[in-house]
Amino acid sequence: MRILIVEDEHDLGAAVQERVRQDGHAVDWFMTLEDARAAVATVDYDFMLLDLGLPDGNGRDLLREIRRTSFDTAVLITTAEDQISDRIAGLSDGADDYIVKPYDLNELVARIAAVARRYVTPRRQACYQIGEIVIDRENRSVMRNEMELELTAREWAIMELLSRRPGRIYSRQQIDTALYALDQDVGSNTVEVFISRLRKKVGNTVIKTVRGRGYCLADRADA
């Protein structure tokens, strides 16, 4: 998934970013509401970890703003506000879960996975089969002739993105966005390299190149 962290505690934000990346997610981290608003306006996030007490305002303001325009981003509030009234307010504003600081990082990633199973995965087709290839989004695996393929985190990120809407063309920039956080450099031919590696594993007909536009997952009829 593409995950946005909004957290103004530097040490905590860095630790959360590193732990979530270990699970293979692309992560962006910002420390203010202003920067988070700019990120949400330019990137389609699957998930947000949202602190409430930020230097330039309350995270619930951002939560209400995105819920007025879209319900597609799952939101887990991460905050020191531990009163029942605080939890009720956050959930009423549209949060999907609520965790109080200090929290264990392993519990945090478990909650991310649980929320994703309930709210992110159901919006997408859990499994997609094309010929001998089965892409299992819930279990984050790709099978070929009933044998699981060994994919790197970034190879899986590409397959996960393309399988969201088979047949839809994703530009190189969109794939770059799925692969990397905003603070990471992207090589000039990185996407092409990963596509080439994937084709060696899944077969040349599964991922189609649309000249001048990008890449897409082939339709079942093309397999």
Side-chain angles (χ1 to χ4, degrees), residues 115-172:
V115 172
R117 284 195 298 269
R118 294 196 302 268
Y119 299 109
V120 179
T121 302
R123 293 198 298 267
R124 309 168 180 167
Q125 186 175 354
C127 287
Y128 182 77
Q129 181 168 1
I130 174 171
E132 61 192 19
I133 299 297
V134 177
I135 304 167
D136 187 338
R137 300 167 56 85
E138 183 172 358
N139 294 309
R140 301 177 64 192
S141 66
V142 178
M143 309 287 287
R144 184 173 188 178
N145 290 327
E146 299 184 355
M147 297 290 293
E148 184 171 351
L149 300 176
E150 293 186 7
L151 301 185
T152 67
R154 286 173 177 168
E155 288 170 350
W156 166 251
I158 292 177
M159 291 300 292
E160 194 275 338
L161 175 66
L162 297 181
S163 66
R164 293 182 185 185
R165 296 183 184 177
R168 172 183 170 178
I169 300 169
Y170 289 87
S171 69
R172 178 182 157 184

Side-chain angles (χ1 to χ4, degrees), residues 98-121:
Y98 195 109
I99 188 170
V100 175
K101 300 176 183 178
Y103 50 77
D104 182 85
L105 292 178
N106 290 325
E107 179 185 358
L108 178 68
V109 296
R111 284 176 178 263
I112 291 172
V115 172
R117 284 195 298 269
R118 294 196 302 268
Y119 299 109
V120 179
T121 302

